[in-house]
Amino acid sequence: DAGVIQSPRHEVTEMGQEVTLRCKPISGHNSLFWYRQTMMRGLELLIYFNNNVPIDDSGMPEDRFSAKMPNASFSTLKIQPSEPRDSAVYFCASSLALGEQYFGPGTRLTVT
Amino acid sequence: EDQVTQSPEALRLQEGESSSLNCSYTVSGLRGLFWYRQDPGKGPEFLFTLYSAGEEKEKERLKATLTKKESFLHITAPKPEDSATYLCAAYQGGSEKLVFGKGTKLTVNP
């Protein structure tokens, strides 16, 4: 299995631009998670889906962030408009229900 | 509030010098305690799951143990390639949300 796939690996954008991060979970996994990691706050859960349905988005910082999972093999996290404080590494992870979560390689986002 | 706290924040060892990392948790209805390893520039890599107090799991030089309030990751005779940040996490009661500690950065010098 290829594991969780994320793209792009690196993204540099200017403040105010729209950013879209993409994730392909491990085939057969039914839960998908989006995390953000910073030095100050560590690894924070933003939102998670179960069977393509958003279950908990209480970690999404504000309305500028949105996530979708149109099918079992694809999810996006969108930031519009982006701000410098959004700079972080964003991880996608997938799992079978209540099982261990497997993480992708992450997208390093820099907003200037 | 569910919390996971790891100590120390950083640990430097000489090759072969055994030690332990600590993870204390306050999570109602623990349904799994997870250990991950994270190398720079990579995503966390799953190591162990522990479900009940008294449970132990081993992998090469690593052994994870669990009590009712904390978990330990014991590293026996570490090698430089064991250098990484080790994260622990617990499922928040009643959900699939994993609460992560901030990690212990381990450096093993040759």
Side-chain angles (χ1 to χ4, degrees):
Chain A
D1 198 322
V4 176
I5 299 172
Q6 290 186 248
S7 65
R9 293 295 311 280
H10 301 273
E11 178 80 36
V12 180
T13 190
E14 293 184 348
M15 183 173 64
Q17 297 297 305
E18 177 179 297
V19 175
T20 300
L21 311 182
R22 297 172 176 80
C23 174
K24 176 179 169 55
I26 292 172
S27 177
H29 282 186
N30 58 357
S31 294
L32 182 140
F33 307 81
W34 282 102
Y35 289 89
R36 178 171 67 178
Q37 188 174 43
T38 61
M39 289 293 292
M40 287 293 293
R41 301 175 67 88
L43 203 56
E44 301 176 286
L45 178 67
L46 299 176
I47 184 172
Y48 81 93
F49 296 83
N50 184 259
N51 293 325
N52 312 337
V53 176
I55 303 300
D56 189 327
D57 65 354
S58 59
M60 297 284 260
E62 48 199 273
D63 292 344
R64 297 185 297 107
F65 285 68
S66 62
K68 294 182 179 180
M69 192 166 186
N71 57 62
S73 59
F74 184 67
S75 177
T76 59
L77 178 67
K78 186 176 293 186
I79 308 172
Q80 165 65 15
S82 58
E83 296 183 2
R85 60 192 167 122
D86 301 330
S87 297
V89 181
Y90 291 81
F91 289 104
C92 175
S94 69
S95 75
L96 291 172
L98 295 181
E100 51 268 18
Q101 295 181 16
Y102 292 89
F103 284 75
T107 296
R108 181 173 294 277
L109 173 64
T110 304
V111 183
T112 60
Chain B
E1 181 184 342
D2 293 338
Q3 281 192 326
V4 175
T5 304
Q6 293 187 247
S7 61
E9 290 185 12
L11 180 63
R12 286 186 175 272
L13 300 174
Q14 288 298 122
E15 184 172 2
E17 180 186 1
S18 301
S19 188
S20 297
L21 313 182
N22 177 265
C23 170
S24 63
Y25 61 91
T26 54
V27 174
S28 57
L30 182 72
R31 293 179 299 153
L33 188 292
F34 299 82
W35 282 98
Y36 286 82
R37 168 189 172 129
Q38 187 173 23
D39 292 297
K42 296 188 176 182
E45 175 189 349
F46 169 74
L47 292 174
F48 303 110
T49 309
L50 301 167
Y51 289 104
S52 57
E55 189 174 359
E56 298 183 352
K57 290 198 175 168
E58 288 188 64
K59 180 179 180 179
E60 296 182 357
R61 295 176 293 281
L62 300 177
K63 183 169 79 172
T65 61
L66 182 66
T67 72
K68 288 186 177 179
K69 292 184 178 180
E70 55 193 351
S71 177
F72 294 93
L73 185 65
H74 307 278
I75 303 175
T76 302
K79 298 182 178 181
E81 52 262 42
D82 295 322
S83 298
T85 295
Y86 291 86
L87 299 165
C88 75
Y91 271 122
Q92 197 173 47
S95 81
E96 286 190 75
K97 296 170 68 170
L98 267 184
V99 179
F100 277 85
K102 293 197 173 179
T104 294
K105 183 177 181 180
L106 174 67
T107 304
V108 182
N109 297 313

